[in-house]
Amino acid sequence: MTEEQGMFEWLPKGDIDVSLLFRALDSMGDGIVVTDAQERIVAVNDAIVRTTGYTRDELMGANFRILQGRDTQRDAVKALRDALDRGDRYVGEFVNYRKDGSAFWNGISVAPVMKAGRLTHWVSMQRDITDFVAKRTAIEREHSTTTMMLSVARTLSEPSGGRNVTQVIADAVPAVWGVDRSSFVLWDEVGERFVIASMSGWDGVLAEQLMNWEGTRSESTDLTRIMDSGQPALVTRASSQWARSVMEDFDVDAMAVVPVKIADRFLGIIAGYWSLSPAPRILDDTLIDRMTGLAGLAGVALDQARLQQAIEWSTSHDPVTGLPNRRMLEEHVTEQLTALAEHGGDDVVVLACDVDRFTAISDSYPTAVVDSMLREIAARLVSTIGEDGFVARLGRDDFMVAMRARPEDAEALVSRLLDAFLAPFSVGDDTVHAGLSIGGAASADVAPSPHEPVETFGPTAGQRLISLALADLNARRIAEGARQNAANPEDAGLDSDLRSAVRNGEIEVYYQPQVRLDDGALVGVEALVRWNHPRLGQISPVRFIPLAEYNGSIRDIGLFVFETACADAARWAASGHPLEMSVNVAVHQLEDPTFSDRVVRTASTHGLPNERLTLEVTETRLVSDRSVPQAQLHRLRELGFVVSIDDFGTGFSSLTQLSNLPVGELKIDRSFVSGVTAADRSIVAGLIGFARGLGLRVVAEGVEDAEQYEVLRKLGCDRAQGYHLARPMPAEQFEREWLS
């Protein structure tokens, strides 16, 4: 009998071209193995020889266990064994080993061969699926990483219920990183030391010992190095004397460490420890992504916790000057009136102060410079009033002073305040003069009649006293404004010009494209306003928008921009380009109770679907301005419009607040995007993670180069806009360059 005939003697006899079968099976890419009823190999094709490295002679008569080894799955072997014992088919995957000892993944399909109702042989088809398993594992790991990060983000976005941020992160580390234990090490800026904030997986004496551990920069050399580098690292006992000593004390073999930062501020370190399972020799890309992602979430969450405290503080204080706000002023004045009613004494005096020429100054300088001037104004008021007075800021350049004083003392105080503003202010590189206008009222103005006891001060007396002081100031301000306009005709003319800019056709709408990051497709545009002054040319929005908000023309400008944007978007959709349109909305517009009606009517008039319109509101305004503005946004959101938080990350919003707001999109501020290729990558990753946890779309603005674009794409950001893609441009240019 020839070798070919012997190879196929197990087949049923008949008209079989054995030579043809032999050639056909040897030409197959998949391996074929035939074993007899005793599971001895009786036939193999060339593919099996190539895959395993064994010769035919070495395989013939052998049991297929010859390919099993250390990492062959015992449960899979048992499943195969059980199927063979039952005479059933079996399909599975095994870690097998070649003759040279190298491992590979083997996909096996086994079927019984029966003759006259009796099992005679087994035929299996086998394929090297190592590459397939590797790709599948990578996909599963990526999906697992995303799922884990979303889970952590959702946990952090919920009210903690006593579980602080560091504990949430510490609890997540073992599952996310694949370690046995973890800890969150905070950096104490005041004491300049590392301290343990939370831990997971520790118990007994070691847990108590770890919680009491702390170290300085000089003592904790490896932590200091990681703190300075800003990069994740694998630390083993061989890394340093400090590492060996610490790991021996805490019975661990290695630790993965990643710094937690927000902007340029170092907050602490997340550490994962291997004590029971073997540690990796290096940090692979998957583990690094999980480490930096968790650090990003931790950084943003810790910063949000700090900002939450700032939010609570900001409900009673002005964020720019740090002075108490109107609510605190009303409470203070009411307390002083109550004290006067109960104990008598000096009058309660309230002075309303307005800074002359402030509008013109604020229109001419960047916000940061104007804020610096406001802080100087506050400092002059506080130092002039002294410890016995109370200074508050109501908004813009409106300040108020409250104190107990006799009428003659109040007059002297007004003189001192006016004198304090004779000295010039340093504004940027310039020196400017800005006087003070003052109006006032005293407790006698809201006191009951002489025939009634003083105890009858009403519950609203404090509010009425403040209103009287503001009314007195307003009368003086009108007269002072007329004087300023006469002395500064150009400033007055700019204000007047802006009021008629829409009517005169000077307001223009520019468009900046937004693209989808995963494929670069154009999906939308942001409408941006420009003022083309007939005499001064293009005037920056930084200059004229505050002026428009101040003189009320912002409503007309906003309505014109919205009308124009809707008309253009409808026209583009009709030509086959159904783009989404984003329009900025000022809080002054939201304060108009008819605003939402106008938005709905305008969209309907142009036949533009509501879901294709995004209304952008700055983060601070959306969080701090409540009642009417938020009611408007809630209504618009319910009608299908998208509400977007602009410049996200720079304001005071918290995750709890965001979850209660009608928000569908977050725009990451350009200050974070500019550093996404360096230290700020973890911050952006954290912001994106939070947005994902809340189910929000993420747009990065201010993308300046291809590297930023690519990093944002890999981090899972949805959309991008910025100079790397296109500068804002008129509608005609946009149509020519992007839609033709």
Side-chain angles (χ1 to χ4, degrees):
M1 179 182 298
T2 66
E3 180 182 0
E4 295 179 3
Q5 292 171 331
M7 179 176 177
F8 294 106
E9 65 174 342
W10 57 277
L11 289 171
K13 296 299 183 288
D15 297 331
I16 298 175
D17 186 340
V18 174
S19 177
L20 176 60
L21 280 175
F22 186 86
R23 292 194 304 276
L25 292 178
D26 272 346
S27 67
M28 293 177 64
D30 291 338
I32 301 295
V33 177
V34 181
T35 61
D36 61 19
Q38 288 72 44
E39 300 176 18
R40 294 177 300 227
I41 298 174
V42 298
V44 295
N45 68 346
D46 284 350
I48 286 293
V49 173
R50 291 193 301 271
T51 300
T52 66
Y54 289 100
T55 65
R56 267 197 175 87
D57 290 340
E58 290 170 330
L59 291 172
M60 288 305 209
N63 187 287
F64 208 72
R65 286 192 296 271
I66 191 174
L67 299 183
Q68 296 178 12
R70 181 188 64 184
D71 293 331
T72 301
Q73 312 93 307
R74 300 307 170 203
D75 55 344
V77 171
K78 183 179 184 304
L80 172 61
R81 179 74 269 157
D82 292 344
L84 295 182
D85 291 343
R86 295 191 305 269
D88 294 340
R89 292 176 177 271
Y90 177 81
V91 177
E93 299 174 356
F94 293 85
V95 175
N96 281 166
Y97 292 83
R98 301 181 180 89
K99 181 179 179 180
D100 62 7
S102 60
F104 69 100
W105 277 92
N106 197 0
I108 299 177
S109 175
V110 185
V113 177
M114 310 296 293
K115 184 176 183 180
R118 184 174 62 87
L119 174 70
T120 62
H121 294 82
W122 295 92
V123 178
S124 66
M125 180 176 289
Q126 305 185 16
R127 176 182 295 180
D128 184 345
I129 59 172
T130 304
D131 290 343
F132 167 77
V133 172
K135 292 177 181 177
R136 183 183 64 191
T137 301
I139 293 173
E140 290 172 349
R141 286 177 177 172
E142 183 177 352
H143 176 72
S144 175
T145 297
T146 302
T147 302
M148 289 178 179
M149 292 303 174
L150 284 175
S151 176
V152 175
R154 290 192 184 99
T155 302
L156 290 173
S157 69
E158 297 170 353
S160 62
R163 302 183 70 213
N164 59 32
V165 170
T166 60
Q167 189 61 58
V168 171
I169 296 296
D171 289 343
V173 167
V176 176
W177 293 7
V179 296
D180 304 313
R181 302 169 181 170
S182 67
S183 69
F184 201 124
V185 186
L186 283 179
W187 173 246
D188 178 4
E189 292 179 332
V190 177
E192 295 188 341
R193 59 192 180 129
F194 297 100
V195 295
I196 301 296
S198 299
M199 64 178 71
S200 181
W202 301 82
D203 54 29
V205 176
L206 286 180
E208 182 178 355
Q209 182 179 341
L210 180 62
M211 186 52 72
N212 293 327
W213 179 90
E214 62 179 50
T216 64
R217 281 181 59 94
S218 59
E219 294 169 343
S220 312
T221 54
D222 287 81
L223 296 187
T224 299
R225 173 175 53 82
I226 293 162
M227 171 184 178
D228 294 338
S229 73
Q231 301 299 317
L234 178 67
V235 181
T236 67
R237 295 193 178 194
S239 297
S240 68
Q241 178 59 43
W242 175 86
R244 181 165 54 254
S245 174
V246 168
M247 292 185 192
E248 288 176 353
D249 290 343
F250 292 99
D251 191 26
V252 297
D253 299 321
M255 60 181 178
V257 184
V258 63
V260 178
K261 299 180 70 176
I262 191 76
D264 293 327
R265 183 186 177 200
F266 174 77
L267 301 179
I269 285 175
I270 305 174
Y273 309 88
W274 286 275
S275 57
L276 304 174
S277 55
R281 290 180 297 175
I282 60 171
L283 301 178
D284 60 23
D285 291 342
T286 298
L287 182 52
I288 289 176
D289 285 345
R290 292 184 176 188
M291 291 173 68
T292 55
L294 204 57
L297 290 175
V300 174
L302 285 174
D303 196 52
Q304 289 285 347
R306 178 179 62 84
L307 289 178
Q308 181 61 41
Q309 296 176 348
I311 292 169
E312 295 172 358
W313 177 85
S314 70
T315 60
S316 58
H317 291 78
D318 167 51
V320 176
T321 64
L323 293 176
N325 61 14
R326 180 166 187 152
R327 182 172 69 84
M328 288 290 287
L329 174 68
E330 291 177 353
E331 291 179 1
H332 175 78
V333 172
T334 299
E335 290 173 0
Q336 293 303 309
L337 288 173
T338 301
L340 173 61
E342 294 176 351
H343 308 293
D346 294 338
D347 288 345
V348 178
V349 178
V350 176
L351 301 178
C353 306
D354 174 72
V355 181
D356 300 338
R357 299 188 65 246
F358 182 81
T359 298
I361 294 170
S362 64
D363 287 343
S364 304
Y365 295 93
T367 301
V369 174
V370 176
D371 287 349
S372 178
M373 180 181 177
L374 285 168
R375 286 188 283 272
E376 175 61 22
I377 292 170
R380 292 192 189 187
L381 292 172
V382 170
S383 64
T384 303
I385 296 302
E387 296 180 357
D388 295 332
F390 187 95
V391 182
R393 183 188 178 210
L394 274 61
R396 287 188 64 84
D397 59 328
D398 294 327
F399 294 83
M400 298 204 79
V401 172
M403 66 182 307
R404 300 290 293 274
R406 296 173 299 177
E408 59 270 25
D409 293 334
E411 292 177 4
L413 174 61
V414 170
S415 296
R416 293 201 308 272
L417 287 170
L418 293 174
D419 290 343
F421 280 72
L422 292 176
F425 290 86
S426 294
V427 181
D429 297 328
D430 302 327
T431 299
V432 300
H433 290 269
L436 203 64
S437 294
I438 302 176
S443 50
D445 298 321
V446 293
S449 69
H451 304 292
E452 296 180 53
V454 74
E455 290 86 348
T456 58
F457 272 124
T460 62
Q463 296 176 359
R464 288 191 290 119
L465 185 57
I466 293 170
S467 296
L468 287 174
L470 288 170
D472 185 51
L473 169 64
N474 190 51
R476 298 170 184 270
R477 185 160 48 188
I478 291 173
E480 181 66 17
R483 183 189 66 79
Q484 287 185 23
N485 289 344
N488 302 280
E490 183 171 326
D491 284 354
L494 190 64
D495 180 276
S496 176
D497 290 347
L498 185 56
R499 294 174 190 271
S500 59
V502 173
R503 185 171 61 254
N504 294 338
E506 298 165 12
I507 299 300
E508 300 176 352
V509 180
Y510 278 40
Y511 298 100
Q512 186 171 37
Q514 288 185 356
V515 303
R516 193 165 51 217
L517 276 163
D518 59 359
D519 61 2
L522 174 68
V523 291
V525 292
E526 180 181 0
L528 300 166
V529 64
R530 296 292 185 267
W531 183 15
N532 188 14
H533 193 279
R535 179 170 51 87
L536 302 176
Q538 286 279 354
I539 297 179
S540 170
V542 175
R543 183 179 181 189
F544 76 79
I545 290 298
L547 179 59
E549 291 180 341
Y550 184 76
N551 66 23
S553 61
I554 189 66
R555 289 183 174 87
D556 289 338
I557 294 174
L559 183 59
F560 171 79
V561 171
F562 190 75
E563 289 270 6
T564 304
C566 286
D568 286 342
R571 181 162 47 83
W572 297 333
S575 65
H577 303 284
L579 301 177
E580 296 180 28
M581 177 64 69
S582 295
V583 182
N584 290 278
V585 178
V587 72
H588 293 71
Q589 295 173 268
L590 293 172
E591 288 171 344
D592 180 356
T594 67
F595 174 73
S596 58
D597 292 331
R598 290 186 179 184
V599 170
V600 173
R601 186 167 58 250
T602 302
S604 176
T605 298
H606 293 286
L608 204 60
N610 294 356
E611 63 272 11
R612 211 177 292 163
L613 286 170
T614 299
L615 307 176
E616 296 188 14
V617 184
T618 57
E619 178 180 5
T620 303
R621 292 286 173 84
L622 182 57
V623 171
S624 62
D625 292 294
R626 306 190 183 280
S627 63
V628 174
Q630 288 198 13
Q632 298 263 33
L633 292 176
H634 275 288
R635 185 194 172 205
L636 290 168
R637 180 61 173 161
E638 290 170 358
L639 292 172
F641 295 91
V642 179
V643 176
S644 174
I645 293 185
D646 197 11
D647 303 331
F648 181 65
T650 62
F652 295 96
S653 60
S654 70
L655 293 174
T656 302
Q657 286 173 306
L658 288 181
S659 63
N660 295 326
L661 291 172
V663 178
E665 176 185 275
L666 299 182
K667 294 192 75 173
I668 299 177
D669 183 66
R670 66 183 64 246
S671 62
F672 294 118
V673 172
S674 64
V676 74
T677 57
D680 284 346
R681 174 176 179 176
S682 60
I683 301 173
V684 176
L687 291 173
I688 293 172
F690 278 124
R692 287 283 176 270
L694 295 173
L696 306 179
R697 185 171 69 198
V698 186
V699 180
E701 58 183 353
V703 179
E704 303 291 344
D705 55 49
E707 187 178 6
Q708 292 175 0
Y709 183 98
E710 182 62 20
V711 172
L712 288 164
R713 186 187 66 79
K714 290 181 178 179
L715 290 177
C717 185
D718 297 306
R719 299 181 178 183
Q721 67 183 88
Y723 284 3
H724 171 61
L725 301 165
R727 293 174 178 267
M729 64 192 78
E732 297 78 7
Q733 181 182 351
F734 172 72
E735 294 167 6
R736 184 173 62 253
E737 296 181 2
W738 287 79
L739 303 184
S740 60

